[in-house]
Amino acid sequence: MHAIPSAHLTSLLSCSAREISHLVRNRKTLYRKEEEPKPSGGVRIIRKPHPSLKVVQTRILRNVLERITLNPHIYGLSASKGVVANAKKHSLKRFGACFDVRAYFPSVRPEMVATIFRTQGFSDDDVMILTALTTTDRQLPQGAPTSNYIAALILSDADRRIVAKIRQWGCAYTRYFDDISVSGPIDLRSLSIAQIVEQEVRHLGFELNAGKTKYYTPGTLKTFTGVSIIGGAPFAPAIEKEIDQLLTDAELGRNDLKANARQQKRLLGLMGFLKQISVPRYKRARRRFGKLT
């Protein structure tokens, strides 16, 4: 890759052309892979950038990506639009549905990322450089400071098209990165919502994970992005149950939490999610965890 950064790009990134070219040439060696437990189970691969790359990615985030206006249906990038706000958006609707985009971050290709930078008016060389600095192994690296914002932007066109199609039925729509939530006054199965969402997601090169599709009807506990609203208050039933079970097992001697680093990491991840839901309940769980470790 022989792209030469423009003076505009070197100014935005506060780097010389030589420093930028060095990062681009060596980018494949500037990530460290780690496994992180998912709150929903399983693990995700985290690619942590080297500090020299991370500082430049942070400048791309601040000086390029965060200047792009997000559509109002995107959640997950601010404290005011977190998992609780996402769930509350749907809590008063009679029917609901949740969809998951399969292997979202690994499925984001460099060409898709390049389109974001190209639409911001960057030259071809600058687009290639920005794309190289924010992707690795032909995917979006979870762990890079730029990745969440890019992940939010990639499906923006699908958001707009889906909303345009379902607005006529009085439906609400939100997307928390790869988690799509829809709710409305009518049974969503009868409206073929899944086909609409799948068609628009596929149009952009992605697939839905059919095994994670869920529908909610009146009288059932609706859970969106892991959160249920009960009596106006947020809860994370499955996650809080697992936290309590893991801590109880350790307290009763069924599991030596102190010697189980993997389980400690999982609990910390679960409690991190709980902190977004309820700080008091998080603190209680954290105190129990502290006594065991």
Side-chain angles (χ1 to χ4, degrees):
M1 179 175 170
H2 302 292
I4 299 172
S6 68
H8 175 56
L9 186 61
T10 59
S11 175
L12 282 175
L13 303 187
S14 300
C15 287
S16 68
R18 184 176 179 179
E19 289 170 325
I20 292 172
S21 297
H22 174 78
L23 289 173
V24 170
R25 281 196 308 272
N26 295 283
R27 65 191 184 278
K28 291 185 179 180
T29 67
L30 296 176
Y31 289 93
R32 185 179 77 254
K33 288 185 183 180
E34 293 183 3
E35 288 188 353
E36 179 182 279
K38 294 181 180 179
S40 58
V43 297
R44 63 168 59 92
I45 301 299
I46 300 297
R47 290 173 168 82
K48 292 189 174 181
H50 185 275
S52 61
L53 176 58
K54 184 176 180 179
V55 70
V56 173
Q57 290 175 333
T58 300
R59 291 169 186 162
I60 294 172
L61 174 65
R62 300 285 180 256
N63 299 329
V64 179
L65 295 170
E66 288 184 345
R67 296 182 181 182
I68 302 172
T69 302
L70 297 169
N71 74 56
H73 313 293
I74 293 172
Y75 282 67
L77 290 174
S78 68
S80 64
K81 296 187 79 172
V83 288
V84 174
N86 181 71
K88 284 185 174 180
K89 181 79 175 179
H90 303 280
S91 63
L92 298 180
K93 299 285 188 180
R94 297 183 68 233
F95 296 87
C98 299
F99 306 94
D100 176 80
V101 182
R102 185 191 303 276
Y104 185 44
F105 281 74
S107 299
V108 174
R109 298 289 172 249
E111 309 87 70
M112 302 173 182
V113 178
T115 299
I116 291 174
F117 295 122
R118 190 171 292 113
T119 58
Q120 298 309 301
F122 286 99
S123 67
D124 288 345
D125 275 11
D126 284 354
V127 167
M128 284 191 285
I129 290 167
L130 288 165
T131 302
L133 292 174
T134 54
T135 61
T136 186
D137 296 333
R138 288 194 54 75
Q139 62 183 268
L140 199 58
Q142 285 186 273
T146 44
S147 291
N148 279 351
Y149 214 95
I150 290 172
L153 289 167
I154 289 288
L155 285 174
S156 290
D157 286 345
D159 297 335
R160 284 188 283 269
R161 287 194 291 266
I162 292 169
V163 169
K165 291 179 178 180
I166 67 176
R167 187 183 290 122
Q168 60 182 310
W169 299 308
C171 292
Y173 171 94
T174 59
R175 178 171 57 83
Y176 193 97
F177 302 117
D178 55 350
D179 291 315
I180 294 171
S181 302
V182 183
S183 59
I186 307 170
D187 189 339
L188 300 181
R189 285 192 184 92
S190 69
L191 300 178
S192 301
I193 292 292
Q195 289 88 332
I196 292 170
V197 173
E198 185 171 29
Q199 179 184 27
E200 298 304 338
V201 165
R202 248 186 208 169
H203 181 73
L204 294 181
F206 300 94
E207 297 287 338
L208 290 183
N209 185 342
K212 291 189 175 182
T213 296
K214 295 179 181 176
Y215 290 95
Y216 300 105
T217 55
T220 60
L221 183 63
K222 302 177 183 68
T223 303
F224 298 94
T225 49
V227 178
S228 299
I229 307 299
I230 304 171
F235 292 85
I239 288 171
E240 295 189 56
K241 181 178 180 181
E242 183 177 356
I243 290 172
D244 182 65
Q245 186 63 60
L246 290 171
L247 291 173
T248 299
D249 284 347
E251 288 164 345
L252 295 176
R254 292 196 288 257
N255 175 40
D256 185 359
L257 190 59
K258 190 177 290 187
N260 193 330
R262 180 180 286 271
Q263 200 159 88
Q264 283 188 41
K265 196 171 184 179
R266 172 148 187 80
L267 263 168
L268 288 169
L270 292 169
M271 289 188 295
F273 187 88
L274 177 59
K275 191 176 183 179
Q276 300 179 65
I277 312 302
S278 168
V279 172
R281 296 202 299 278
Y282 159 76
K283 287 182 177 178
R284 286 197 294 272
R286 198 69 176 79
R287 283 194 295 271
R288 292 174 68 189
F289 177 84
K291 292 177 181 177
L292 294 163
T293 56

